[in-house]
Amino acid sequence: MYSSWRLLNLSPNNQNSTSHYNAGTWGIVQGQLRPLLAPRVYTLPMVRSIGKTMVQGKNYGPQITVKRISTRGRKCKPIFVQIARQVVKLNASDLRLPSRAWKVKLVGEGADDAGGVFDDTITEMCQELETGIVDLLIPSPNATAEVGYNRDRFLFNPSACLDEHLMQFKFLGILMGVAIRTKKPLDLHLAPMVWKQLCCIPLILEDLEEVDLLYVQTLNSILHIEDSGITEENFHEMIPLDSFVGQSADGKMVPIIPGGNSIPLTFSNRKEYVERAIEYRLHEMDRQVAAVREGMSWIVPVPLLSLLTAKQLEQMVCGMPEISVEVLKKVVRYREVDEQHQLVQWFWHTLEEFSNEERVLFMRFVSGRSRLPANTADISQRFQVMKVDRPYDSLPTSQTCFFQLRLPPYSSQLIMAERLRYAINNCRSIDMDNYMLSRNVDNAEGSDTDY
């Protein structure tokens, strides 16, 4: 496979599966055979393609302006919206960089983006997506009903279909591509069926059941309604639906075929109704998926996604949800202190005692990010632990641009843990580059930047 994958037609539109000569290709296109591929089959082509298309000689891409502080009663738009509107107007070729696809200027804030601000704004954008500040994602129906799997996962919002929405989905794809290219994961929790669609594996009924158990059960009960003793005579007394409408992922009642509102649902056509309802739900996010893939194609070779499983793509984009202390120990570098120092021993013991949620906050504090890559070798920057000459039991500080934690001396591990917890829970902004305050002024008053 490694030497011959280029000869295969991996297009998702390749529907010709009749010949036994292309059954293997069909198995890869449909997804069943992808788990059998050796890692180098799907990783090395991606790595080589990314290397050949990398922008050389630049530390960062074009400058993007972001305003987070409201002035004169004007509420700022979400960071995601601000950055999306600027990035989609750029040339795709200018964004294919190894670390920072763009440089962020925070208006009115004392922060100089040497990498930390870029990382921090991406973390904030992920939070905006999952808290509903930006309406591109919705919780899985299982989350709303509190049943079944994937209650902590999100789907693309099928109702977000305006041109503005599709532009934002395209930008989400750019973010995913940047995450793959830079090996800096996004903190997103998308349902498995979303990842399947992004790598062009056709959905089946089980995928729908994993995010909307109650709806699949309802459709099954309609399909086999005669088992409950219901006949053509009392069908409409027992079934509240009277036409070809069904429930969308966001809970809205929608026609499942064109003109479905005027097509009566009867005992005799219930099988067709169920088939159409399932077909609708398996394809209701197609426009949003296409927009995301278009954005990804700006940054990475999208055809190669047809060699990946959904899980492999998720790990490329999102890394590992758990922050591993052992991984951090493998990439640490000490300054003004050594591994045997009491301060270092206390620090690792404290981090091991933290919950994963606290370790995520710690990662945000020291790097601006909240995920680690799935592969330790992909961590491009060493984690630095530095002892600084400050008063005993002071608060720790960090330099997110350099993945650096600065620890003052402490009188006990208990006090260190308390100070560290205070810092990670209360310091959410990068704002000590005071020399930048005069430079980060708002020169865009009245412009079309639209904060």
Side-chain angles (χ1 to χ4, degrees), residues 7-191:
L7 303 176
L8 305 180
N9 180 2
L10 296 177
S11 167
N13 299 320
N14 174 18
Q15 298 297 320
N16 181 19
S17 62
T18 54
S19 168
H20 66 273
Y21 290 111
N22 65 0
T25 303
W26 183 245
I28 292 173
V29 170
Q30 294 290 294
Q32 299 97 321
L33 295 184
R34 296 190 201 184
L36 302 181
L37 298 179
R40 66 174 186 159
V41 176
Y42 56 83
T43 55
L44 288 183
M46 180 73 75
V47 168
R48 287 171 179 164
S49 178
I50 285 174
K52 288 178 180 178
T53 56
M54 194 76 77
V55 174
Q56 302 297 332
K58 285 187 178 181
N59 292 325
Y60 53 84
Q63 180 168 284
I64 297 298
T65 305
V66 174
K67 188 172 183 180
R68 302 190 294 188
I69 302 172
S70 301
T71 52
R72 293 183 293 280
R74 293 173 62 196
K75 189 177 180 182
C76 299
K77 284 193 166 26
I79 295 170
F80 184 93
V81 174
Q82 291 184 48
I83 297 181
R85 288 180 178 176
Q86 296 172 73
V87 168
V88 296
K89 295 176 183 176
L90 301 172
N91 292 324
S93 57
D94 292 337
L95 303 176
R96 299 179 192 134
L97 281 90
S99 57
R100 273 182 294 163
W102 51 84
K103 181 173 182 176
V104 178
K105 173 185 174 183
L106 293 176
V107 175
E109 298 185 54
D112 186 10
D113 184 12
V117 177
F118 174 80
D119 289 345
D120 194 62
T121 51
I122 285 184
T123 300
E124 285 196 50
M125 287 191 282
C126 292
Q127 291 176 345
E128 289 178 342
L129 286 166
E130 295 199 347
T131 54
I133 293 173
V134 179
D135 59 351
L136 298 190
L137 305 183
I138 56 171
S140 72
N142 279 352
T144 307
E146 298 185 350
V147 297
Y149 300 116
N150 296 304
R151 298 189 214 178
D152 59 341
R153 297 297 183 116
F154 293 82
L155 303 174
F156 293 157
N157 184 354
S159 295
C161 51
L162 300 175
D163 288 345
E164 174 78 7
H165 289 132
L166 296 177
M167 176 276 289
Q168 292 173 11
F169 275 114
K170 180 178 177 179
F171 174 64
L172 176 56
I174 292 172
L175 280 182
M176 289 181 175
V178 167
I180 294 173
R181 183 172 280 272
T182 62
K183 299 180 173 65
K184 290 189 172 182
L186 303 180
D187 189 11
L188 289 176
H189 305 80
L190 301 177

Side-chain angles (χ1 to χ4, degrees), residues 383-403:
F383 171 43
Q384 298 181 46
V385 175
M386 182 178 181
K387 181 176 179 289
V388 291
D389 187 17
R390 293 182 60 210
Y392 263 77
D393 299 337
S394 302
L395 287 168
T397 56
S398 67
Q399 283 195 299
T400 54
C401 297
F402 304 107
F403 198 1

Side-chain angles (χ1 to χ4, degrees), residues 257-424:
I257 56 175
N261 285 313
S262 56
I263 300 175
L265 168 61
T266 64
F267 183 82
S268 58
N269 69 7
R270 69 190 187 282
K271 182 179 178 183
E272 182 188 357
Y273 170 84
V274 171
E275 289 173 352
R276 297 287 189 145
I278 293 170
E279 184 74 5
Y280 176 86
R281 285 295 297 273
L282 295 183
H283 292 279
E284 67 177 334
M285 297 186 293
D286 282 0
R287 289 179 68 188
Q288 291 78 11
V289 168
V292 171
R293 279 176 59 89
E294 182 188 355
M296 293 179 78
S297 72
W298 276 34
I299 313 296
V300 295
V302 162
L304 293 182
L305 302 186
S306 292
L307 294 171
L308 299 175
T309 65
K311 190 68 179 174
Q312 288 159 359
L313 177 59
E314 182 181 11
Q315 286 192 351
M316 275 190 179
V317 175
C318 297
M320 301 302 290
E322 298 283 325
I323 301 298
S324 166
V325 176
E326 291 308 310
V327 168
L328 289 176
K329 284 182 177 179
K330 287 178 183 177
V331 298
V332 74
R333 182 172 146 209
Y334 301 106
R335 295 181 60 185
E336 312 299 332
V337 70
D338 60 52
E339 188 177 1
Q340 305 306 320
H341 196 283
Q342 182 77 77
L343 193 68
V344 171
Q345 300 296 315
W346 284 348
F347 165 69
W348 289 120
H349 193 62
T350 298
L351 211 55
E352 285 164 355
E353 288 179 343
F354 277 7
S355 65
N356 188 62
E357 288 73 21
E358 288 175 317
R359 288 198 288 269
V360 167
L361 289 175
F362 172 79
M363 272 294 294
R364 176 84 184 271
F365 178 70
V366 295
S367 72
R369 294 280 180 156
S370 49
R371 292 280 182 110
L372 287 169
N375 186 354
T376 307
D378 290 336
I379 301 176
S380 57
Q381 214 173 13
R382 299 288 293 273
F383 171 43
Q384 298 181 46
V385 175
M386 182 178 181
K387 181 176 179 289
V388 291
D389 187 17
R390 293 182 60 210
Y392 263 77
D393 299 337
S394 302
L395 287 168
T397 56
S398 67
Q399 283 195 299
T400 54
C401 297
F402 304 107
F403 198 1
Q404 184 183 92
L405 174 68
R406 298 179 162 204
L407 291 172
Y410 288 102
S411 51
S412 72
Q413 190 213 324
L414 195 64
I415 292 176
M416 173 196 271
E418 185 268 323
R419 295 290 190 269
L420 200 53
R421 278 195 171 95
Y422 183 89
I424 64 176

